[in-house]
C-alpha cells in the first residue's frame, strides 16, 4: 500500500512532521512503514523558465541557442538539442550547479546528476532544459509530456516563471509504502491511513466533504438491479451519469494518482481509480447504452460459460463464479474485471457507475481459477465493509460534477438486503491494563477511541465498533488499540499475573534424555524422520494384508501419495536412512529416533488416535544382534528396570529375520522388540547389508521406570561360588534356564553368569553344552554348605523339568 504524504497532509489538519518522523511514529502506532521515497531528493535548482528567443548554433545543425527567462533578472543562455523547443515555451530549467535525477532515456543515477555551465561546440551554456524523465518521472504519469523532447508547461504557467519547477510539477512529494496486514482492510485506502495518522499525531482528521449530487431525474428510470445471490454480493449500488465529457483529469488528481503508482488516463477512468485509492473501494463503469433492457442481474455463471474480458481474453467460467449481467448477456465478472462488450469508449454518452461488496473468499477462489488477479480482486478478496460502497459511490459522483465530466442523474439504486451494523463490545479498562501491565486512565483510553471513531455508550459502558474496523472483535483487540496509541515504547516490563509455578521436565522427557545419553554413548546419532508415509511401506515391510498395522489414518490433503498416511510403525524411516547411508558407502552407521506412531482406535476416525512415543534404533556394520541387545539392556538398567528382562524369540515379525528376533518382556508385559532385518525386507529398501533394528515402546516402559536408588552397603561376608555344566536341548533358551535360577535359587543366590556354550561332536545330537557360574551370599552370616546344597537341589530339579541334565 502506497500513499502520497501531501495527500495525507491534506486530510490531517496541521500535520507537518518530516518524512522520517512520520514513518517512525506511524510504524510505532501499528501502521508499519516499509520505506519512503522523497521524489525530489535528487532534484536541485530547477525553476520554471520561458524561452524568449532561439538562434541557430553556428557550428551544429541539431543544436540551438535559447535565451531563457528563469526569473533571475537577466536571461540566461542555454544550448539544447531538443526538437520541440519554440519561442514562448514555458519549460523546466536546471540552473548552473543544479541536479537532475537521471538521463533523458529514463535511467536514474543515485544522488542525481550535477549540471555545470560549459561549452557545447564552442558556445557557452549556463544550464539545461529538462525532459520529464530527467526529473525522475515518466510519460506514464505525465501523459502530456512529449515522447522525445523537453517538458513544456501549458501557456497559463507563464506567470510562474522563476518559481520552483519541482513544486509546480507536483514532484515535491514523499511516497510512503506500508506493510498492511490483511485484517486492516480500512487501511488499503488513503482515508484509512489518514485516519491512523490523525490518531497517531493527535490531530483533526478532515475527510473530504461529499455534497449531494444529482439532477431532478430518477435513476430507477434508467436502470434496475437484481441480485440473485446475496450471499456472494451483499450490496450493490448503481448511479447513472449522462452527457459524458471525456477529458484529461485536473493536475491535482493526476499527481495524486501518480504518487499511488496509477497512470492517469481520462477523467472518468481516473475518478474510479481515485476513489478506489481514496476509499479502498473498487468501482466499475459501464457504457449504459450497451446494457440491454436497462437491467443489471447479479447471478452465478453457468458451468462452461464463455466470457471475453476487457483485456480481450476469452474466459471459461464455472457455476461458483459471480457474473454481472444485463437483460440478455454477461457484462462483467463480479469483483474481478468488466467485459469487452460494455467497455467505456470515447463515444460514451451515458455511463453506469457500479460500487458493490462481494464475498472475499469467492473472489479469491474465482480469480485464482481464472488466473487473472486484478487490482480490484486483490482488494475485494480481503473482505470489504459493505457500508463503504455507498460512500465511495457518492464521492465518485461528486467528483464527476466537480470535474464537469457529466451530469449525474438523481437518486441511487441500492440493493442491500441485510445491513451490516456496528458491533458492541464491553468497555473493560481494568482488563486492558491487566493484559498490558499498564495503569492507563479510562479517560485517556476513551480519547484514543474517539480519534479512531469508536463510539462509547457511557450508560451501558459499551464501545461501538465502526463497521470499517472488522479487526476489532474481542477485548484483546481493544487492548491492542490502547497499547499502540499509548506507545509500545512506554510499556514497561512486567511479569504476567497468576500463580507462579516452577518449570521442569516431565518424567517422560527425563526418560527420553537418558535414552539419548545411553544411545549416543553407544555410538548412535539422532535422526529426525517423517511421520507421513506411503501405503507402499506395508508391502516393503512384508506386513500381512490382515494385520492391524495396515489400518492407518489417511491424510485429507497430502503432499502426495508418498506422504498420504500417518505411520503405524516406526521402521520405514529408519530403514530408508540406513539404506541411503549404505548406498553412499558410509561404514558402521548407527542411528536412533524418538518419534510417534499413530494407531487409530477406529476408522473412520471418531476420536483422536493413540499417539505412542517409540524409541527406534537401527545399525549396520560393526556390531550384531547381541550388541544391539546390550544397548537395550544398558538403557533398561539406567532407568531403574532392574528385574529380569525376558527375550522371547517367538516374536514372528515378518520384517525381521526368523531366529534372529525377539520380543522383550518385563514383568509379563512387552516393552520392546529387536532383531536382524529380513534379507527380503532389506532388499526392498535397496541394500544387501545386514541391518539390525530395535523399537522400545515408551508408554509401556514408563510404569516400570524409576530413578529412585536404594543404597546397600559393602558385603561383610564372603560369597560362595558353584559352577554348573549342563547338557541342554537346543530348543531351550538361556532365558528359560535363567528363569529357573531366579525362581529356585532362593534368597541367597546373588548372581549368575553364562561363561561357556558349545555345540559340536562331543555333545549329544540335538543338544548343547552350557556352563554357568552361580554366586551365593548371605548378608548377615557365613553360609553353611547345607544352605547352598539346598538351593542347588531346587535348581537342578527345575532344570530337569526342562530336559536338562548335568554334564559328566
Amino acid at each position: 500500500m502506497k500513499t502520497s504524504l501531501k495527500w495525507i497532509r491534506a486530510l490531517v489538519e496541521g500535520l507537518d512532521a518530516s518524512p522520517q518522523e512520520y514513518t517512525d511514529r506511524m510504524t510505532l502506532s501499528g501502521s508499519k512503514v516499509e520505506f519512503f521515497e522523497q521524489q525530489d531528493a535528487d532534484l536541485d535548482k530547477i525553476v520554471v523558465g520561458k524561452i524568449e528567443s532561439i538562434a541557430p548554433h553556428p557550428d551544429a545543425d541539431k543544436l540551438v541557442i535559447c535565451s531563457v527567462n528563469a526569473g533571475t533578472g537577466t536571461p540566461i543562455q542555454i544550448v539544447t538539442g531538443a526538437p520541440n523547443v519554440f519561442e514562448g515555451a514555458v519549460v523546466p530549467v536546471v540552473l548552473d550547479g543544479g541536479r537532475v535525477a537521471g538521463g533523458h532515456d529514463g535511467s536514474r543515477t543515485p544522488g542525481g546528476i550535477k549540471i555545470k555551465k560549459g561549452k557545447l561546440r564552442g558556445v557557452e551554456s549556463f544550464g539545461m532544459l529538462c525532459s520529464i524523465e530527467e526529473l525522475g518521472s515518466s510519460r506514464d504519469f505525465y501523459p502530456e509530456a512529449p515522447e522525445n523532447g523537453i517538458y513544456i508547461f501549458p501557456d497559463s504557467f507563464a506567470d510562474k516563471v522563476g518559481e520552483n519547477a519541482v513544486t509546480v510539477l507536483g514532484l515535491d512529494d514523499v511516497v510512503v509504502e506500508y506493510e498492511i496486514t490483511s485484517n486492516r482492510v480500512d487501511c488499503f485506502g488513503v482515508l484509512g491511513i489518514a485516519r491512523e495518522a490523525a490518531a497517531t499525531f493527535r490531530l483533526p482528521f478532515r475527510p473530504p466533504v461529499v455534497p449531494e449530487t444529482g439532477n431532478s431525474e430518477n435513476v430507477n428510470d434508467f436502470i434496475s438491479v437484481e441480485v440473485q445471490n446475496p450471499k456472494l454480493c451483499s450490496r450493490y449500488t448503481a448511479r447513472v451519469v449522462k452527457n459524458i465529457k471525456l477529458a484529461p483529469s485536473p493536475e491535482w488528481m493526476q499527481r495524486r494518482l501518480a504518487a499511488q503508482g496509477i497512470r492517469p488516463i481520462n477523467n472518468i477512468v481516473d475518478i474510479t481509480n481515485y476513489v478506489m485509492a481514496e476509499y479502498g473501494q473498487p468501482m466499475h463503469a459501464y457504457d449504459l447504452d450497451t446494457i440491454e433492457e436497462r437491467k443489471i442481474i447479479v447471478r452465478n455463471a453457468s458451468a462452461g460459460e464463455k466470457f471475453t474480458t476487457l483485456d480481450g481474453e476469452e474466459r471459461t467460467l464455472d457455476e461458483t463464479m459471480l457474473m454481472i449481467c444485463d437483460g440478455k448477456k454477461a457484462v462483467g465478472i463480479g469483483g474481478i474485471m468488466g467485459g469487452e462488450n460494455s467497455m467505456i469508449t470515447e463515444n460514451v454518452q451515458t455511463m453506469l457507475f457500479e460500487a458493490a461488496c462481494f464475498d472475499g473468499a469467492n473472489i479469491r477462489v474465482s480469480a485464482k481459477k481464472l488466473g487473472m488477479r486484478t487490482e480490484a480482486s486483490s482488494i475485494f478478496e480481503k473482505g470489504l465493509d459493505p457500508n463503504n460502497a455507498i460512500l465511495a459511490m457518492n464521492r465518485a459522483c461528486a467528483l464527476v460534477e466537480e470535474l464537469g465530466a457529466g451530469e449525474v442523474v438523481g437518486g441511487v439504486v441500492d440493493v442491500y438486503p441485510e445491513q451490516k451494523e456496528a458491533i458492541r463490545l464491553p468497555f473493560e479498562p481494568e482488563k486492558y491494563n491487566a493484559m498490558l501491565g499498564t495503569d492507563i486512565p479510562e479517560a485517556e483510553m476513551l480519547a484514543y477511541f474517539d480519534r479512531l471513531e469508536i463510539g462509547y455508550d457511557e450508560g451501558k459502558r459499551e464501545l461501538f465498533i465502526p463497521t470499517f474496523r472488522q479487526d476489532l472483535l474481542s477485548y484483546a483487540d481493544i487492548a491492542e488499540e490502547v497499547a499502540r496509541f499509548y506507545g509500545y515504547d512506554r510499556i514497561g516490563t512486567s511479569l504476567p499475573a497468576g500463580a507462579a509455578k516452577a518449570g521442569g521436565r516431565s518424567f517422560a522427557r527425563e526418560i527420553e534424555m537418558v535414552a539419548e545419553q545411553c544411545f549416543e554413548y553407544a555410538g548412535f546419532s539422532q535422526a529426525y524422520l517423517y511421520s507421513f508415509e506411503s501405503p507402499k511401506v506395508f508391502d516393503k515391510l512384508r506386513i500381512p494384508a490382515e494385520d492391524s498395522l495396515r489400518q492407518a489414518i489417511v491424510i485429507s490433503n497430502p503432499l502426495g501419495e508418498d506422504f498420504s498416511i500417518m505411520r503405524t510403525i516406526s521402521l520405514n524411516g529408519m530403514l530408508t536412512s540406513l539404506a541411503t547411508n549404505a548406498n553412499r558407502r558410509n561404514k558402521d552407521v548407527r542411528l536412533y529416533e524418538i518419534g510417534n506412531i499413530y494407531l487409530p482406535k477406529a476408522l473412520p476416525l471418531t476420536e483422536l488416535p493413540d499417539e505412542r512415543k517409540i524409541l527406534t534404533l537401527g545399525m549396520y556394520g560393526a556390531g550384531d544382534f547381541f550388541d544391539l541387545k546390550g544397548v537395550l539392556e544398558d538403557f533398561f538398567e539406567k532407568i531403574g528396570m532392574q528385574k529380569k528382562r525376558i527375550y522371547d524369540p517367538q516374536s514372528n515379525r515378518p520384517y525381521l529375520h526368523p531366529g534372529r528376533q525377539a520380543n522383550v518382556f518385563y514383568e509379563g508385559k512387552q516393552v520392546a522388540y529387536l532383531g536382524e532385518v529380513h534379507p527380503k525386507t532389506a532388499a526392498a529398501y535397496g541394500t544387501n547389508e545386514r541391518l539390525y533394528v530395535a523399537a522400545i515402546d515408551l508408554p509401556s516402559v514408563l510404569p516400570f521406570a524409576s530413578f529412585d536408588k536404594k543404597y546397600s552397603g559393602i558385603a561383610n561376608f564372603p560369597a560362595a561360588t558353584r559352577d554348573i555344566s549342563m547338557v541342554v536341548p537346543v530348543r531351550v533358551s538361556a532365558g528359560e534356564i535363567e528363569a529357573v535360577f531366579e525362581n529356585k535359587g532362593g534368597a541367597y543366590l546373588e548372581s549368575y553368569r553364562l561363561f561357556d556354550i558349545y555345540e559340536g561332536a562331543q555333545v549329544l545330537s540335538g543338544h548343547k553344552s552350557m556352563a554357568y557360574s552361580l554366586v551365593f551370599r548371605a548378608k548377615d552370616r557365613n553360609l553353611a554348605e547345607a544352605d547352598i546344597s539346598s538351593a542347588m537341589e531346587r535348581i537342578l530339579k527345575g532344570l530337569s523339568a526342562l530336559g536338562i541334565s548335568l554334564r559328566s
Side-chain angles (χ1 to χ4, degrees):
M1 172 65 189
K2 292 181 179 179
T3 67
S4 154
L5 188 53
K6 287 177 70 174
W7 195 350
I8 297 296
R9 284 177 172 149
L11 296 167
V12 181
E13 186 178 314
L15 179 62
D16 60 356
S18 69
Q20 189 63 60
E21 182 187 0
Y22 174 82
T23 58
D24 288 346
R25 290 187 63 178
M26 289 293 283
T27 297
L28 283 174
S29 69
S31 302
K32 182 185 176 185
V33 175
E34 287 288 287
F35 64 88
F36 69 88
E37 178 187 6
Q38 198 150 345
Q39 292 183 311
D40 60 350
D42 299 330
L43 305 178
D44 190 26
K45 296 180 71 174
I46 303 174
V47 299
V48 177
K50 183 176 182 180
I51 300 175
E52 296 187 336
S53 64
I54 299 177
H57 193 288
D59 197 25
D61 294 338
K62 294 185 177 180
L63 298 178
V64 294
I65 304 170
C66 299
S67 176
V68 181
N69 176 7
T72 57
T74 303
I76 61 175
Q77 179 172 288
I78 296 176
V79 178
T80 180
N84 64 326
V85 294
F86 56 90
E87 291 184 1
V90 181
V91 295
V93 180
V94 188
L95 302 177
D96 178 31
R99 286 182 301 151
V100 293
H104 183 74
D105 59 357
S107 60
R108 298 201 62 161
T109 302
I113 300 173
K114 194 167 187 178
I115 304 300
K116 298 180 181 179
K117 66 180 180 179
K119 290 184 177 181
L120 290 176
R121 301 292 291 270
V123 177
E124 285 189 308
S125 181
F126 296 90
M128 186 179 81
L129 309 183
C130 299
S131 68
I132 199 66
E133 287 80 11
E134 287 164 329
L135 297 177
S137 191
S138 71
R139 294 182 66 247
D140 283 343
F141 304 118
Y142 290 81
E144 72 277 13
E147 185 175 355
N148 184 22
I150 64 169
Y151 182 83
I152 297 178
F153 290 103
D155 293 341
S156 58
F157 282 60
D159 61 345
K160 298 184 182 293
V161 169
E163 293 185 20
N164 188 327
V166 174
T167 302
V168 172
L169 282 167
L171 289 170
D172 58 336
D173 201 354
V174 177
V175 177
V176 184
E177 180 158 343
Y178 310 82
E179 182 185 317
I180 304 298
T181 54
S182 58
N183 65 328
R184 287 302 307 272
V185 184
D186 57 304
C187 287
F188 284 93
V190 174
L191 290 179
I193 295 293
R195 186 183 290 108
E196 288 289 306
T200 298
F201 288 90
R202 306 189 180 195
L203 295 171
F205 173 50
R206 301 293 187 224
V209 177
V210 181
E212 288 189 14
T213 55
N215 59 21
S216 59
E217 296 176 279
N218 189 339
V219 69
N220 293 290
D221 297 333
F222 288 78
I223 193 74
S224 65
V225 176
E226 177 189 348
V227 177
Q228 295 182 357
N229 190 340
K231 182 179 179 183
L232 297 186
C233 178
S234 57
R235 189 174 197 180
Y236 191 100
T237 67
R239 296 194 73 176
V240 172
V241 179
K242 65 180 189 177
N243 301 324
I244 299 295
K245 300 180 182 68
L246 292 181
S249 301
E251 184 187 0
W252 64 266
M253 180 176 283
Q254 292 191 32
R255 299 291 73 81
R256 287 183 177 181
L257 289 174
Q260 300 292 116
I262 301 172
R263 181 170 62 92
I265 297 175
N266 60 48
N267 49 6
I268 295 300
V269 175
D270 291 354
I271 284 171
T272 61
N273 286 334
Y274 185 87
V275 171
M276 181 172 71
E278 189 174 46
Y279 282 79
Q281 170 66 52
M283 299 186 65
H284 191 70
Y286 300 98
D287 185 338
L288 187 61
D289 292 330
T290 66
I291 304 299
E292 300 192 58
E293 299 181 5
R294 297 297 176 94
K295 179 187 294 185
I296 289 291
I297 301 172
V298 183
R299 63 165 174 83
N300 286 75
S302 304
E305 183 175 346
K306 306 288 185 182
F307 181 72
T308 303
T309 48
L310 276 171
D311 56 6
E313 295 287 330
E314 185 179 71
R315 314 285 178 175
T316 302
L317 313 174
D318 65 36
E319 63 277 6
T320 65
M321 299 173 185
L322 200 64
M323 298 300 295
I324 311 299
C325 307
D326 61 19
K328 294 184 178 179
K329 65 183 183 301
V331 295
I333 304 175
I336 300 177
M337 187 178 284
E340 189 178 48
N341 56 9
S342 61
M343 65 188 296
I344 298 293
T345 66
E346 293 181 355
N347 301 319
V348 64
Q349 295 298 313
T350 308
M351 182 188 67
L352 174 68
F353 260 147
E354 164 197 286
C357 186
F358 301 109
D359 180 72
N362 178 264
I363 294 296
R364 179 172 176 80
V365 171
S366 298
K368 191 172 182 181
K369 286 179 180 178
L370 295 170
M372 52 181 302
R373 192 167 188 259
T374 61
E375 185 74 21
S377 71
S378 67
I379 296 176
F380 275 122
E381 68 186 23
K382 294 173 176 63
L384 300 187
D385 173 18
N387 292 329
N388 195 42
I390 193 64
L391 301 176
M393 173 63 77
N394 291 336
R395 172 63 165 159
C397 291
L399 288 170
V400 167
E401 290 193 350
E402 181 181 337
L403 273 55
E407 181 183 353
V408 179
V409 173
V412 58
V413 177
D414 187 3
V415 180
Y416 193 12
E418 189 173 338
Q419 187 164 346
K420 185 174 183 179
E421 303 288 348
I423 66 170
R424 290 171 171 257
L425 291 176
F427 178 50
E428 303 170 300
E430 301 84 3
K431 211 169 183 178
Y432 311 148
N433 278 323
M435 172 176 277
L436 301 174
T438 55
D439 190 19
I440 304 170
E442 285 188 21
E444 188 172 345
M445 292 184 188
L446 291 171
Y448 301 154
F449 300 151
D450 183 59
R451 293 201 299 271
L452 293 168
E453 300 181 28
I454 297 174
Y456 177 57
D457 184 336
E458 187 174 0
K460 295 183 178 180
R461 286 184 66 82
E462 287 183 334
L463 301 173
F464 293 92
I465 310 302
T467 56
F468 62 79
R469 286 303 302 273
Q470 301 181 50
D471 59 310
L472 302 183
L473 301 172
S474 69
Y475 84 90
D477 300 323
I478 300 299
E480 183 182 8
E481 297 300 290
V482 172
R484 65 193 187 95
F485 290 108
Y486 176 73
Y488 291 114
D489 54 329
R490 295 173 60 193
I491 298 176
T493 303
S494 61
L495 292 173
K501 183 178 180 180
R505 290 184 289 265
S506 67
F507 182 66
R509 179 57 191 147
E510 293 283 357
I511 297 297
E512 290 177 27
M513 291 178 64
V514 171
E516 290 168 0
Q517 294 170 1
C518 179
F519 299 160
E520 288 170 12
Y521 180 78
F524 287 77
S525 299
Q526 188 166 11
Y528 291 90
L529 308 173
Y530 289 114
S531 294
F532 300 163
E533 293 186 334
S534 167
K536 298 175 183 176
V537 165
F538 302 123
D539 293 330
K540 293 173 74 173
L541 292 174
R542 306 172 67 244
I543 293 174
E546 67 279 2
D547 197 296
S548 61
L549 290 177
R550 286 183 176 264
Q551 304 303 308
I553 300 167
V554 178
I555 298 168
S556 299
N557 54 341
L559 297 174
E561 185 184 4
D562 289 344
F563 301 95
S564 61
I565 62 170
M566 303 297 291
R567 66 179 181 178
T568 57
I569 184 171
S570 64
L571 292 187
N572 175 64
M574 181 61 69
L575 294 178
T576 300
S577 296
L578 291 176
T580 300
N581 278 278
N583 292 331
R584 292 177 181 173
R585 300 184 180 181
N586 293 326
K587 296 182 179 180
D588 304 330
V589 172
R590 295 187 173 198
L591 301 174
Y592 78 91
E593 182 212 13
I594 302 176
N596 287 348
I597 60 172
Y598 303 85
L599 305 177
K601 298 172 184 175
L603 287 177
L605 287 177
T606 56
E607 56 182 315
L608 292 176
D610 182 12
E611 297 185 30
R612 302 189 72 80
K613 188 69 67 72
I614 305 295
L615 314 180
T616 309
L617 298 96
M619 57 182 268
Y620 68 81
D624 56 16
F625 177 94
F626 296 102
D627 291 291
L628 189 57
K629 177 187 174 185
V631 175
L632 265 62
E633 287 289 286
D634 186 38
F635 167 67
F636 290 139
E637 289 182 7
K638 280 186 168 55
I639 62 172
M641 295 172 64
Q642 302 298 333
K643 294 183 180 179
K644 179 69 177 176
R645 277 82 58 187
I646 304 299
Y647 289 80
D648 179 9
Q650 305 302 319
S651 60
N652 298 320
R653 297 180 186 271
Y655 40 85
L656 298 181
H657 196 299
R660 299 176 189 171
Q661 58 177 286
N663 288 334
V664 185
F665 289 87
Y666 188 84
E667 294 192 4
K669 184 172 183 178
Q670 183 180 327
V671 295
Y673 66 85
L674 76 161
E676 180 181 337
V677 175
H678 197 290
K680 289 184 179 180
T681 302
Y685 283 89
T687 181
N688 58 3
E689 288 279 355
R690 296 181 67 171
L691 309 178
Y692 298 91
V693 293
I696 303 170
D697 185 64
L698 191 59
S700 298
V701 166
L702 290 178
F704 304 115
S706 173
F707 294 120
D708 295 337
K709 304 290 183 182
K710 186 176 181 180
Y711 172 76
S712 58
I714 298 173
N716 295 323
F717 298 94
T721 303
R722 295 290 186 271
D723 292 342
I724 179 173
S725 181
M726 303 166 287
V727 177
V728 182
V730 171
R731 59 175 173 78
V732 178
S733 67
E736 292 175 280
I737 295 173
E738 292 170 2
V740 172
F741 295 159
E742 293 280 346
N743 296 329
K744 305 295 184 181
Y748 302 133
L749 180 63
E750 185 178 73
S751 64
Y752 47 84
R753 179 177 63 87
L754 176 66
F755 66 86
D756 183 63
I757 183 168
Y758 171 77
E759 289 185 60
Q762 299 179 20
V763 181
L764 185 64
S765 177
H767 291 70
K768 56 189 173 184
S769 172
M770 300 178 69
Y772 277 87
S773 178
L774 285 72
V775 177
F776 296 89
R777 191 195 309 265
K779 295 181 180 180
D780 54 354
R781 61 186 177 84
N782 286 324
L783 286 176
E785 179 61 30
D787 298 323
I788 300 172
S789 298
S790 175
M792 288 300 298
E793 286 178 8
R794 293 193 303 272
I795 289 172
L796 292 174
K797 188 175 181 179
L799 294 172
S800 177
L802 296 175
I804 298 172
S805 60
L806 293 179
R807 186 174 180 182
S808 57

